[in-house]
């Protein structure tokens, strides 16, 4: 069998391969098989040197003609296949811009965040500026600067989470008050803060080792207990409505003197008595008082006529009351369906 016969066999095999190739990748594979560096055509071209001159010239002409025909056929078919596949891809990815758009499911705000933002919005109307503080705190800002001496029960391991390096997880957001006063800003000072606090106590239906608080303080010349009661009454009625009833009662906090608590009429039973208010018709909401002189003295604000007022409440408890939840743990669940259901009660 002569080499020329082999050339014609390769040409026939090429025609058959081209006819069966339907995609760009298959045609490119045919090109590599029949015209690549290791193809039979290149092998025959290398063997031409061993033939007599006349035979070499004749077979070289045949081989060149067949190679040129193969290349021309592939040059025609490859772009057509590429264009055909591109158009098919465009059709499969075509978008009807007149159809409604598709969006990702939006997450749900945690009810605690909604209550917190609603409360801060009320305080901003009174001129309070929002400030944040660290949750891992120095005992000085958590206790000493706030007139909580070393023998105070709150410093016991049963109430506070102590960390390595003589640090604590803050047990109240009043640490922000201490940090702001430590900066010695000019009077008047009106600051609100909110966030997580931690208490080393038993977890039950109404208590958790981590919960949320929000509080504010105001330091300026001439403030009295009447200013404090006016601020508290305004905040409560903005949050609960003008019809809510309030009452004040004496309390004790080491960082305020005098100290008061604020109760509101139960929003569930309207004062008639129910399980939520333990049948007394009132629910404790806030703790407050005039900033203790020892705290003012600690930061250099113990001057004639300068007084401060402070107040705070647990937004975890407030949110549970608004949503009529019997377990505060439900506020910290992370399922979106559950959170959406809860937040509907705050709209």
């Amino acid at each position: 069998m002569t080499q020329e016969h082999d050339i014609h066999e390769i040409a026939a095999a090429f025609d058959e391969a081209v006819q069966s190739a339907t995609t760009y990748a298959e045609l490119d594979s045919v090109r590599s098989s029949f015209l690549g560096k290791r193809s039979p055509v290149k092998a025959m071209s290398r063997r031409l040197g061993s033939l007599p001159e006349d035979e070499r010239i004749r077979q070289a002409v045949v081989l060149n003609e067949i190679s040129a025909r193969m290349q021309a056929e592939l040059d025609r078919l490859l772009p057509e296949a590429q264009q055909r596949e591109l158009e098919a891809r465009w059709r499969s990815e075509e978008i009807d811009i007149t159809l409604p758009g598709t969006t990702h499911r939006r997450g749900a705000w945690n009810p605690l965040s909604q209550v917190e933002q609603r409360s801060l919005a009320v305080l901003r109307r009174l001129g309070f500026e929002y400030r944040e503080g660290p949750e891992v705190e120095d005992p000085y800002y958590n206790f000493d600067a706030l007139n909580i001496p070393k023998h105070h029960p709150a410093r016991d391991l049963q109430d506070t989470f102590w960390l390595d390096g003589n640090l604590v997880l803050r047990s109240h957001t009043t640490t922000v008050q201490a940090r702001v006063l430590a900066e010695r800003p000019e009077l008047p000072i009106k600051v609100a803060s909110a966030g997580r606090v931690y208490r080393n106590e038993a977890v039950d239906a109404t208590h958790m080792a981590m919960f949320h608080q929000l509080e504010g303080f105001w330091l300026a010349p001439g403030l009295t207990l009447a200013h404090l009661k006016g601020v508290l009454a305004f905040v409560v009625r903005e949050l609960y409505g003008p019809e809510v009833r309030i009452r004040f009662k004496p309390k004790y906090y080491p960082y305020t003197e005098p100290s008061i608590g604020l109760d509101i009429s139960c929003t569930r039973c309207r004062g008639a008595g129910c399980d939520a208010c333990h049948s007394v018709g009132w629910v404790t909401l806030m703790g407050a008082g005039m900033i203790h002189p020892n705290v003012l003295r600690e930061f250099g604000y113990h001057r004639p006529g300068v007084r401060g007022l402070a107040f705070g409440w647990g937004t975890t408890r407030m949110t549970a009351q608004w949503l009529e939840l019997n377990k505060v743990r439900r506020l910290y669940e992370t399922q979106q369906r559950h959170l959406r259901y809860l937040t509907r009660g705050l709209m």
Side-chain angles (χ1 to χ4, degrees):
M1 184 178 294
T2 65
Q3 180 164 312
E4 184 176 353
H5 181 273
D6 292 340
I7 295 174
H8 290 290
E9 280 193 348
I10 292 173
F14 172 81
D15 293 335
E16 184 178 349
V18 164
Q19 290 178 4
S20 60
T22 58
T23 66
Y24 180 89
E26 291 174 348
L27 287 170
D28 189 60
S29 178
V30 171
R31 179 194 60 76
S32 178
S33 298
F34 287 89
L35 296 175
K37 291 183 178 181
R38 298 181 180 179
S39 64
V41 172
K42 296 298 182 182
M44 289 182 178
S45 179
R46 288 191 292 270
R47 290 200 297 267
L48 289 176
S50 61
L51 299 176
E53 182 177 356
D54 292 343
E55 185 67 18
R56 181 174 66 249
I57 294 174
R58 187 177 62 78
Q59 290 194 22
V61 171
V62 175
L63 185 61
N64 288 338
E65 289 178 351
I66 291 177
S67 297
R69 182 176 70 80
M70 290 181 181
Q71 188 63 56
E73 185 72 5
L74 290 171
D75 289 343
R76 180 181 66 84
L77 294 176
L78 281 169
E80 291 179 357
Q82 187 177 36
Q83 182 65 25
R84 188 165 57 250
E85 292 179 8
L86 187 60
E87 290 177 354
R89 178 183 172 186
W90 285 342
R91 284 192 297 271
S92 65
E93 297 178 356
E94 185 177 9
I95 298 175
D96 186 349
I97 61 174
T98 65
L99 293 175
T102 55
T103 60
H104 296 289
R105 287 189 63 182
R106 297 179 60 185
W109 270 54
N110 190 288
L112 281 165
S113 299
Q114 286 189 299
V115 170
E116 183 178 284
Q117 293 303 316
R118 187 180 297 181
S119 302
L120 289 173
V122 174
L123 292 177
R124 287 191 185 95
R125 290 166 57 190
L126 295 175
F128 285 84
E129 174 192 359
Y130 180 70
R131 294 286 296 272
E132 293 182 341
E135 296 178 20
V136 177
E137 189 57 275
D138 189 296
Y140 171 76
Y141 294 109
N142 200 81
F143 299 122
D144 302 287
L146 298 174
N147 196 40
I148 303 177
K150 294 186 182 300
H151 62 269
H152 195 279
R155 300 183 74 142
D156 193 279
L157 184 62
Q158 298 301 314
D159 295 323
T160 307
F161 287 104
W162 287 86
L163 308 177
D164 293 339
N166 195 36
L167 298 174
V168 299
L169 292 179
R170 66 179 182 183
S171 56
H172 47 195
T173 49
T174 315
T175 56
V176 178
Q177 173 185 323
R179 285 186 169 272
V180 171
L181 293 180
E183 297 173 2
R184 305 291 199 278
E186 294 294 326
L187 300 179
I189 308 169
K190 299 179 81 171
V191 169
S193 58
R196 290 181 290 263
V197 297
Y198 304 85
R199 302 280 176 86
N200 191 7
E201 57 186 23
V203 176
D204 55 31
T206 58
H207 296 85
M208 293 191 68
M210 184 278 293
F211 54 98
H212 285 70
Q213 279 188 345
L214 185 150
E215 63 181 82
F217 76 96
W218 179 10
L219 189 63
L223 294 180
T224 66
L225 189 63
H227 291 93
L228 174 60
K229 293 172 68 176
V231 168
L232 298 183
F234 175 82
V235 171
V236 170
R237 292 193 170 109
E238 287 298 308
L239 292 175
Y240 286 88
E243 71 283 354
V244 69
R245 292 184 297 149
I246 63 175
R247 70 178 185 183
F248 298 98
K249 59 187 180 184
K251 295 282 287 186
Y252 167 75
Y253 301 106
Y255 31 81
T256 55
E257 180 61 33
S259 303
I260 61 174
L262 182 145
D263 295 347
I264 62 170
S265 55
C266 181
T267 56
R268 186 181 300 184
C269 66
R270 304 298 179 182
C274 66
D275 293 339
C277 61
H278 304 289
S279 300
V280 299
W282 295 90
V283 177
T284 300
L285 181 66
M286 295 184 180
M290 305 303 293
I291 297 178
H292 200 287
N294 288 345
V295 177
L296 299 181
R297 187 178 294 110
E298 178 70 22
F299 297 108
Y301 288 100
H302 191 55
R303 311 168 196 166
V306 175
R307 300 291 303 279
L309 58 87
F311 53 91
W313 65 92
T315 50
T316 298
R317 179 178 297 179
M318 173 185 280
T319 306
Q321 290 173 349
W322 271 353
L323 296 175
E324 300 183 356
L325 298 178
N326 55 4
K327 293 183 179 179
V328 296
R329 186 184 295 113
R330 295 186 62 192
L331 294 172
Y332 295 95
E333 295 180 1
T334 57
Q335 293 185 9
Q336 288 193 16
R337 181 179 62 178
H338 173 71
L339 293 178
R340 286 194 181 92
Y341 174 76
L342 288 181
T343 52
R344 284 165 48 186
L346 298 176
M347 299 301 181

